[in-house]
Amino acid sequence: MLELFRVIANEWMKLLRRKRLWVAGILMLVTVALYGVTEYHSHQAALNNRPEKQLTIVEQNLSDIKAHPKSDPNYQQDVQSLQQQIATLKVEVAAEKPGSDWKTPLQQEKKADLAQMNQVPAGERASSPTWNYMQGQLMTINYQLQHNVRPLQPWQLSPYGEMMQYLAVAAMLFLPLVVAILVADMVAGEATEGTIKLLLVRPVSRAKILLGKWITSLFVSALATALTGAALWAVGVAILGNVGANQPIAVGSGVNMIHQVVAGPLVSGSTYNASTGMLVFQTYTHATVIPMWHYVLTGLALTVFAMLAVATVTFLCSTIFRSTMASTGVSLGLVIIGFVVAQMAIHVKWLVWLFFPVHLALFTNWAGQLSQEAQMNAPLGLGMLVLSVWGVLSLGVSLVYFSKRDILNA
């Protein structure tokens, strides 16, 4: 164990001296900066949609029309329309005040949802997109009422929700690129420089040498992922404010698929494949509701787990290829190809079972988003299983290949 610790310490010191660490750091900063710029513009647009802002604009429009009544051929109609808008906006402004009653409208919405759900016969509920959608809505409303969580206003942006939307993309592309840059030369770099021979003739088993490099790869990958997630959260809170931490989100939902011809608009959470005639909609039978802060923390932990799998696959490339350029090229190619395939061929069923890049944003499995996109049940357990299998196989092949490697030709 002491020898393994010394190998890890040695690998960490070598990693700190590599230029790749700085390249990865710059890429992380660019990722966070892009998020900050995007959220700033979104926040400014959201502020312009506040009822107070809209009320000021509409009142000014009404004032302008009344000042020049003869210039408007539809004067009476326009005045009535603007007055109705003003009345509606004043109600919305009053509803946003801290002391306003928000529970009564929510209870009324709950009553209306229950009434609509009861209209669906008991035997048809499992195959009813409307009933299942209302079930999800009802779970959220009940959570807000029971835990005294005031809903966000329609214009408000939560740094928690915004972060997870951005992290879903980052986990599929940006973070794997960072991991590939950090890990791709762990073994291949020493083979390229010729220092691998000096390392292998030391009185330390090859398995410990490789495990030390692998553990270092896992540590730096986990650290880079955690730091990126923390930076995204901090930037989001700085721009949007610390709002929405206790807002509810349903996790553990699945999908149901039925043959049905759909001509009208779809219920939210439903998709229709015209070529197969399959209607796919979310179900909440086994779902639970948790606060957003819990979802963010767990989602970041799941992303770290996914990046460990990416690091292990990249480590395999570094072990097999004796050129840093080849190892890096193949690793980056796998990341980019995986992202493209996962976006364009997500409906191919075997990809969900075998292709690990599909599951890199593991929290989308948990929230049911991947199941809806793939049009099949792809729960969190499936994603973790696929990533674990790829990780174990990659590490096993790396150990076998490295233990039989010819030192003279290394």
Side-chain angles (χ1 to χ4, degrees), residues 390-407:
W390 273 85
V392 171
L393 289 177
S394 297
L395 180 60
V397 173
S398 298
L399 286 169
V400 172
Y401 183 84
F402 192 72
S403 64
K404 296 181 179 180
R405 193 165 186 167
D406 188 351
I407 296 177

mmCIF file with all atom_site columns, all heavy atoms in Angstrom, residues 390-407:
data_model
loop_
_atom_site.group_PDB
_atom_site.id
_atom_site.type_symbol
_atom_site.label_atom_id
_atom_site.label_alt_id
_atom_site.label_comp_id
_atom_site.label_asym_id
_atom_site.label_entity_id
_atom_site.label_seq_id
_atom_site.pdbx_PDB_ins_code
_atom_site.Cartn_x
_atom_site.Cartn_y
_atom_site.Cartn_z
_atom_site.occupancy
_atom_site.B_iso_or_equiv
_atom_site.pdbx_formal_charge
_atom_site.auth_seq_id
_atom_site.auth_comp_id
_atom_site.auth_asym_id
_atom_site.auth_atom_id
_atom_site.pdbx_PDB_model_num
ATOM 1   N N   . TRP A 1 390 ? -18.279 -0.513  -18.740 1.00 0.00 ? 390 TRP A N   1
ATOM 2   C CA  . TRP A 1 390 ? -17.233 0.056   -19.587 1.00 0.00 ? 390 TRP A CA  1
ATOM 3   C C   . TRP A 1 390 ? -15.985 0.357   -18.762 1.00 0.00 ? 390 TRP A C   1
ATOM 4   O O   . TRP A 1 390 ? -14.851 0.105   -19.207 1.00 0.00 ? 390 TRP A O   1
ATOM 5   C CB  . TRP A 1 390 ? -17.737 1.329   -20.266 1.00 0.00 ? 390 TRP A CB  1
ATOM 6   C CG  . TRP A 1 390 ? -18.455 1.070   -21.555 1.00 0.00 ? 390 TRP A CG  1
ATOM 7   C CD1 . TRP A 1 390 ? -19.765 0.750   -21.717 1.00 0.00 ? 390 TRP A CD1 1
ATOM 8   C CD2 . TRP A 1 390 ? -17.897 1.110   -22.874 1.00 0.00 ? 390 TRP A CD2 1
ATOM 9   N NE1 . TRP A 1 390 ? -20.077 0.587   -23.039 1.00 0.00 ? 390 TRP A NE1 1
ATOM 10  C CE2 . TRP A 1 390 ? -18.945 0.811   -23.777 1.00 0.00 ? 390 TRP A CE2 1
ATOM 11  C CE3 . TRP A 1 390 ? -16.634 1.381   -23.373 1.00 0.00 ? 390 TRP A CE3 1
ATOM 12  C CZ2 . TRP A 1 390 ? -18.744 0.767   -25.155 1.00 0.00 ? 390 TRP A CZ2 1
ATOM 13  C CZ3 . TRP A 1 390 ? -16.428 1.341   -24.747 1.00 0.00 ? 390 TRP A CZ3 1
ATOM 14  C CH2 . TRP A 1 390 ? -17.476 1.037   -25.613 1.00 0.00 ? 390 TRP A CH2 1
ATOM 15  N N   . GLY A 1 391 ? -16.172 0.887   -17.567 1.00 0.00 ? 391 GLY A N   1
ATOM 16  C CA  . GLY A 1 391 ? -15.028 1.204   -16.724 1.00 0.00 ? 391 GLY A CA  1
ATOM 17  C C   . GLY A 1 391 ? -14.257 -0.028  -16.294 1.00 0.00 ? 391 GLY A C   1
ATOM 18  O O   . GLY A 1 391 ? -13.022 -0.059  -16.364 1.00 0.00 ? 391 GLY A O   1
ATOM 19  N N   . VAL A 1 392 ? -14.966 -1.062  -15.848 1.00 0.00 ? 392 VAL A N   1
ATOM 20  C CA  . VAL A 1 392 ? -14.316 -2.293  -15.392 1.00 0.00 ? 392 VAL A CA  1
ATOM 21  C C   . VAL A 1 392 ? -13.590 -2.974  -16.547 1.00 0.00 ? 392 VAL A C   1
ATOM 22  O O   . VAL A 1 392 ? -12.437 -3.424  -16.405 1.00 0.00 ? 392 VAL A O   1
ATOM 23  C CB  . VAL A 1 392 ? -15.352 -3.240  -14.751 1.00 0.00 ? 392 VAL A CB  1
ATOM 24  C CG1 . VAL A 1 392 ? -14.735 -4.608  -14.481 1.00 0.00 ? 392 VAL A CG1 1
ATOM 25  C CG2 . VAL A 1 392 ? -15.883 -2.640  -13.456 1.00 0.00 ? 392 VAL A CG2 1
ATOM 26  N N   . LEU A 1 393 ? -14.245 -3.072  -17.701 1.00 0.00 ? 393 LEU A N   1
ATOM 27  C CA  . LEU A 1 393 ? -13.607 -3.706  -18.855 1.00 0.00 ? 393 LEU A CA  1
ATOM 28  C C   . LEU A 1 393 ? -12.378 -2.922  -19.306 1.00 0.00 ? 393 LEU A C   1
ATOM 29  O O   . LEU A 1 393 ? -11.331 -3.512  -19.627 1.00 0.00 ? 393 LEU A O   1
ATOM 30  C CB  . LEU A 1 393 ? -14.609 -3.818  -20.008 1.00 0.00 ? 393 LEU A CB  1
ATOM 31  C CG  . LEU A 1 393 ? -15.740 -4.835  -19.838 1.00 0.00 ? 393 LEU A CG  1
ATOM 32  C CD1 . LEU A 1 393 ? -16.692 -4.789  -21.034 1.00 0.00 ? 393 LEU A CD1 1
ATOM 33  C CD2 . LEU A 1 393 ? -15.192 -6.241  -19.658 1.00 0.00 ? 393 LEU A CD2 1
ATOM 34  N N   . SER A 1 394 ? -12.466 -1.611  -19.320 1.00 0.00 ? 394 SER A N   1
ATOM 35  C CA  . SER A 1 394 ? -11.330 -0.783  -19.749 1.00 0.00 ? 394 SER A CA  1
ATOM 36  C C   . SER A 1 394 ? -10.152 -0.949  -18.798 1.00 0.00 ? 394 SER A C   1
ATOM 37  O O   . SER A 1 394 ? -8.996  -1.088  -19.241 1.00 0.00 ? 394 SER A O   1
ATOM 38  C CB  . SER A 1 394 ? -11.741 0.689   -19.812 1.00 0.00 ? 394 SER A CB  1
ATOM 39  O OG  . SER A 1 394 ? -12.750 0.890   -20.776 1.00 0.00 ? 394 SER A OG  1
ATOM 40  N N   . LEU A 1 395 ? -10.423 -0.934  -17.496 1.00 0.00 ? 395 LEU A N   1
ATOM 41  C CA  . LEU A 1 395 ? -9.332  -1.116  -16.532 1.00 0.00 ? 395 LEU A CA  1
ATOM 42  C C   . LEU A 1 395 ? -8.735  -2.514  -16.632 1.00 0.00 ? 395 LEU A C   1
ATOM 43  O O   . LEU A 1 395 ? -7.509  -2.671  -16.568 1.00 0.00 ? 395 LEU A O   1
ATOM 44  C CB  . LEU A 1 395 ? -9.852  -0.869  -15.115 1.00 0.00 ? 395 LEU A CB  1
ATOM 45  C CG  . LEU A 1 395 ? -8.817  -1.025  -13.997 1.00 0.00 ? 395 LEU A CG  1
ATOM 46  C CD1 . LEU A 1 395 ? -7.665  -0.051  -14.183 1.00 0.00 ? 395 LEU A CD1 1
ATOM 47  C CD2 . LEU A 1 395 ? -9.475  -0.842  -12.627 1.00 0.00 ? 395 LEU A CD2 1
ATOM 48  N N   . GLY A 1 396 ? -9.588  -3.519  -16.812 1.00 0.00 ? 396 GLY A N   1
ATOM 49  C CA  . GLY A 1 396 ? -9.087  -4.887  -16.938 1.00 0.00 ? 396 GLY A CA  1
ATOM 50  C C   . GLY A 1 396 ? -8.185  -5.069  -18.143 1.00 0.00 ? 396 GLY A C   1
ATOM 51  O O   . GLY A 1 396 ? -7.104  -5.666  -18.049 1.00 0.00 ? 396 GLY A O   1
ATOM 52  N N   . VAL A 1 397 ? -8.618  -4.546  -19.282 1.00 0.00 ? 397 VAL A N   1
ATOM 53  C CA  . VAL A 1 397 ? -7.799  -4.646  -20.495 1.00 0.00 ? 397 VAL A CA  1
ATOM 54  C C   . VAL A 1 397 ? -6.497  -3.882  -20.318 1.00 0.00 ? 397 VAL A C   1
ATOM 55  O O   . VAL A 1 397 ? -5.427  -4.332  -20.756 1.00 0.00 ? 397 VAL A O   1
ATOM 56  C CB  . VAL A 1 397 ? -8.588  -4.117  -21.715 1.00 0.00 ? 397 VAL A CB  1
ATOM 57  C CG1 . VAL A 1 397 ? -7.690  -4.059  -22.949 1.00 0.00 ? 397 VAL A CG1 1
ATOM 58  C CG2 . VAL A 1 397 ? -9.794  -4.993  -21.986 1.00 0.00 ? 397 VAL A CG2 1
ATOM 59  N N   . SER A 1 398 ? -6.544  -2.734  -19.659 1.00 0.00 ? 398 SER A N   1
ATOM 60  C CA  . SER A 1 398 ? -5.340  -1.949  -19.425 1.00 0.00 ? 398 SER A CA  1
ATOM 61  C C   . SER A 1 398 ? -4.332  -2.732  -18.583 1.00 0.00 ? 398 SER A C   1
ATOM 62  O O   . SER A 1 398 ? -3.129  -2.755  -18.890 1.00 0.00 ? 398 SER A O   1
ATOM 63  C CB  . SER A 1 398 ? -5.689  -0.629  -18.719 1.00 0.00 ? 398 SER A CB  1
ATOM 64  O OG  . SER A 1 398 ? -6.539  0.161   -19.504 1.00 0.00 ? 398 SER A OG  1
ATOM 65  N N   . LEU A 1 399 ? -4.813  -3.379  -17.520 1.00 0.00 ? 399 LEU A N   1
ATOM 66  C CA  . LEU A 1 399 ? -3.924  -4.153  -16.653 1.00 0.00 ? 399 LEU A CA  1
ATOM 67  C C   . LEU A 1 399 ? -3.296  -5.331  -17.390 1.00 0.00 ? 399 LEU A C   1
ATOM 68  O O   . LEU A 1 399 ? -2.091  -5.591  -17.273 1.00 0.00 ? 399 LEU A O   1
ATOM 69  C CB  . LEU A 1 399 ? -4.695  -4.640  -15.422 1.00 0.00 ? 399 LEU A CB  1
ATOM 70  C CG  . LEU A 1 399 ? -5.024  -3.579  -14.360 1.00 0.00 ? 399 LEU A CG  1
ATOM 71  C CD1 . LEU A 1 399 ? -6.011  -4.129  -13.344 1.00 0.00 ? 399 LEU A CD1 1
ATOM 72  C CD2 . LEU A 1 399 ? -3.751  -3.121  -13.660 1.00 0.00 ? 399 LEU A CD2 1
ATOM 73  N N   . VAL A 1 400 ? -4.106  -6.047  -18.151 1.00 0.00 ? 400 VAL A N   1
ATOM 74  C CA  . VAL A 1 400 ? -3.594  -7.208  -18.884 1.00 0.00 ? 400 VAL A CA  1
ATOM 75  C C   . VAL A 1 400 ? -2.578  -6.775  -19.927 1.00 0.00 ? 400 VAL A C   1
ATOM 76  O O   . VAL A 1 400 ? -1.489  -7.361  -20.052 1.00 0.00 ? 400 VAL A O   1
ATOM 77  C CB  . VAL A 1 400 ? -4.766  -7.979  -19.546 1.00 0.00 ? 400 VAL A CB  1
ATOM 78  C CG1 . VAL A 1 400 ? -4.227  -9.070  -20.477 1.00 0.00 ? 400 VAL A CG1 1
ATOM 79  C CG2 . VAL A 1 400 ? -5.665  -8.590  -18.482 1.00 0.00 ? 400 VAL A CG2 1
ATOM 80  N N   . TYR A 1 401 ? -2.902  -5.737  -20.674 1.00 0.00 ? 401 TYR A N   1
ATOM 81  C CA  . TYR A 1 401 ? -1.994  -5.272  -21.746 1.00 0.00 ? 401 TYR A CA  1
ATOM 82  C C   . TYR A 1 401 ? -0.694  -4.731  -21.164 1.00 0.00 ? 401 TYR A C   1
ATOM 83  O O   . TYR A 1 401 ? 0.399   -5.043  -21.648 1.00 0.00 ? 401 TYR A O   1
ATOM 84  C CB  . TYR A 1 401 ? -2.686  -4.192  -22.574 1.00 0.00 ? 401 TYR A CB  1
ATOM 85  C CG  . TYR A 1 401 ? -1.857  -3.698  -23.732 1.00 0.00 ? 401 TYR A CG  1
ATOM 86  C CD1 . TYR A 1 401 ? -1.848  -4.383  -24.948 1.00 0.00 ? 401 TYR A CD1 1
ATOM 87  C CD2 . TYR A 1 401 ? -1.073  -2.551  -23.609 1.00 0.00 ? 401 TYR A CD2 1
ATOM 88  C CE1 . TYR A 1 401 ? -1.085  -3.933  -26.014 1.00 0.00 ? 401 TYR A CE1 1
ATOM 89  C CE2 . TYR A 1 401 ? -0.305  -2.100  -24.670 1.00 0.00 ? 401 TYR A CE2 1
ATOM 90  C CZ  . TYR A 1 401 ? -0.314  -2.789  -25.865 1.00 0.00 ? 401 TYR A CZ  1
ATOM 91  O OH  . TYR A 1 401 ? 0.455   -2.349  -26.917 1.00 0.00 ? 401 TYR A OH  1
ATOM 92  N N   . PHE A 1 402 ? -0.788  -3.942  -20.101 1.00 0.00 ? 402 PHE A N   1
ATOM 93  C CA  . PHE A 1 402 ? 0.409   -3.327  -19.525 1.00 0.00 ? 402 PHE A CA  1
ATOM 94  C C   . PHE A 1 402 ? 1.309   -4.368  -18.865 1.00 0.00 ? 402 PHE A C   1
ATOM 95  O O   . PHE A 1 402 ? 2.543   -4.240  -18.893 1.00 0.00 ? 402 PHE A O   1
ATOM 96  C CB  . PHE A 1 402 ? -0.007  -2.271  -18.503 1.00 0.00 ? 402 PHE A CB  1
ATOM 97  C CG  . PHE A 1 402 ? 1.113   -1.380  -18.057 1.00 0.00 ? 402 PHE A CG  1
ATOM 98  C CD1 . PHE A 1 402 ? 1.628   -0.415  -18.915 1.00 0.00 ? 402 PHE A CD1 1
ATOM 99  C CD2 . PHE A 1 402 ? 1.651   -1.495  -16.784 1.00 0.00 ? 402 PHE A CD2 1
ATOM 100 C CE1 . PHE A 1 402 ? 2.653   0.418   -18.507 1.00 0.00 ? 402 PHE A CE1 1
ATOM 101 C CE2 . PHE A 1 402 ? 2.677   -0.670  -16.367 1.00 0.00 ? 402 PHE A CE2 1
ATOM 102 C CZ  . PHE A 1 402 ? 3.183   0.296   -17.233 1.00 0.00 ? 402 PHE A CZ  1
ATOM 103 N N   . SER A 1 403 ? 0.712   -5.399  -18.256 1.00 0.00 ? 403 SER A N   1
ATOM 104 C CA  . SER A 1 403 ? 1.523   -6.427  -17.593 1.00 0.00 ? 403 SER A CA  1
ATOM 105 C C   . SER A 1 403 ? 2.317   -7.263  -18.585 1.00 0.00 ? 403 SER A C   1
ATOM 106 O O   . SER A 1 403 ? 3.366   -7.820  -18.244 1.00 0.00 ? 403 SER A O   1
ATOM 107 C CB  . SER A 1 403 ? 0.615   -7.339  -16.751 1.00 0.00 ? 403 SER A CB  1
ATOM 108 O OG  . SER A 1 403 ? -0.287  -8.046  -17.591 1.00 0.00 ? 403 SER A OG  1
ATOM 109 N N   . LYS A 1 404 ? 1.843   -7.350  -19.841 1.00 0.00 ? 404 LYS A N   1
ATOM 110 C CA  . LYS A 1 404 ? 2.528   -8.146  -20.855 1.00 0.00 ? 404 LYS A CA  1
ATOM 111 C C   . LYS A 1 404 ? 3.346   -7.293  -21.817 1.00 0.00 ? 404 LYS A C   1
ATOM 112 O O   . LYS A 1 404 ? 3.887   -7.819  -22.786 1.00 0.00 ? 404 LYS A O   1
ATOM 113 C CB  . LYS A 1 404 ? 1.502   -8.951  -21.658 1.00 0.00 ? 404 LYS A CB  1
ATOM 114 C CG  . LYS A 1 404 ? 0.760   -9.985  -20.808 1.00 0.00 ? 404 LYS A CG  1
ATOM 115 C CD  . LYS A 1 404 ? -0.216  -10.780 -21.651 1.00 0.00 ? 404 LYS A CD  1
ATOM 116 C CE  . LYS A 1 404 ? -0.939  -11.829 -20.807 1.00 0.00 ? 404 LYS A CE  1
ATOM 117 N NZ  . LYS A 1 404 ? -1.904  -12.615 -21.640 1.00 0.00 ? 404 LYS A NZ  1
ATOM 118 N N   . ARG A 1 405 ? 3.458   -6.027  -21.534 1.00 0.00 ? 405 ARG A N   1
ATOM 119 C CA  . ARG A 1 405 ? 4.144   -5.103  -22.437 1.00 0.00 ? 405 ARG A CA  1
ATOM 120 C C   . ARG A 1 405 ? 5.658   -5.367  -22.443 1.00 0.00 ? 405 ARG A C   1
ATOM 121 O O   . ARG A 1 405 ? 6.265   -5.605  -21.387 1.00 0.00 ? 405 ARG A O   1
ATOM 122 C CB  . ARG A 1 405 ? 3.879   -3.664  -21.995 1.00 0.00 ? 405 ARG A CB  1
ATOM 123 C CG  . ARG A 1 405 ? 4.274   -2.626  -23.008 1.00 0.00 ? 405 ARG A CG  1
ATOM 124 C CD  . ARG A 1 405 ? 3.629   -1.307  -22.623 1.00 0.00 ? 405 ARG A CD  1
ATOM 125 N NE  . ARG A 1 405 ? 3.841   -0.279  -23.615 1.00 0.00 ? 405 ARG A NE  1
ATOM 126 C CZ  . ARG A 1 405 ? 3.200   0.866   -23.652 1.00 0.00 ? 405 ARG A CZ  1
ATOM 127 N NH1 . ARG A 1 405 ? 2.281   1.105   -22.744 1.00 0.00 ? 405 ARG A NH1 1
ATOM 128 N NH2 . ARG A 1 405 ? 3.450   1.757   -24.574 1.00 0.00 ? 405 ARG A NH2 1
ATOM 129 N N   . ASP A 1 406 ? 6.232   -5.311  -23.626 1.00 0.00 ? 406 ASP A N   1
ATOM 130 C CA  . ASP A 1 406 ? 7.670   -5.518  -23.780 1.00 0.00 ? 406 ASP A CA  1
ATOM 131 C C   . ASP A 1 406 ? 8.410   -4.236  -23.396 1.00 0.00 ? 406 ASP A C   1
ATOM 132 O O   . ASP A 1 406 ? 8.235   -3.194  -24.029 1.00 0.00 ? 406 ASP A O   1
ATOM 133 C CB  . ASP A 1 406 ? 7.988   -5.883  -25.236 1.00 0.00 ? 406 ASP A CB  1
ATOM 134 C CG  . ASP A 1 406 ? 9.440   -6.297  -25.438 1.00 0.00 ? 406 ASP A CG  1
ATOM 135 O OD1 . ASP A 1 406 ? 10.233  -6.141  -24.482 1.00 0.00 ? 406 ASP A OD1 1
ATOM 136 O OD2 . ASP A 1 406 ? 9.785   -6.749  -26.532 1.00 0.00 ? 406 ASP A OD2 1
ATOM 137 N N   . ILE A 1 407 ? 9.230   -4.314  -22.338 1.00 0.00 ? 407 ILE A N   1
ATOM 138 C CA  . ILE A 1 407 ? 9.907   -3.134  -21.845 1.00 0.00 ? 407 ILE A CA  1
ATOM 139 C C   . ILE A 1 407 ? 10.847  -2.547  -22.906 1.00 0.00 ? 407 ILE A C   1
ATOM 140 O O   . ILE A 1 407 ? 10.912  -1.334  -23.093 1.00 0.00 ? 407 ILE A O   1
ATOM 141 C CB  . ILE A 1 407 ? 10.706  -3.468  -20.572 1.00 0.00 ? 407 ILE A CB  1
ATOM 142 C CG1 . ILE A 1 407 ? 9.755   -3.898  -19.446 1.00 0.00 ? 407 ILE A CG1 1
ATOM 143 C CG2 . ILE A 1 407 ? 11.517  -2.261  -20.107 1.00 0.00 ? 407 ILE A CG2 1
ATOM 144 C CD1 . ILE A 1 407 ? 10.453  -4.307  -18.179 1.00 0.00 ? 407 ILE A CD1 1
#
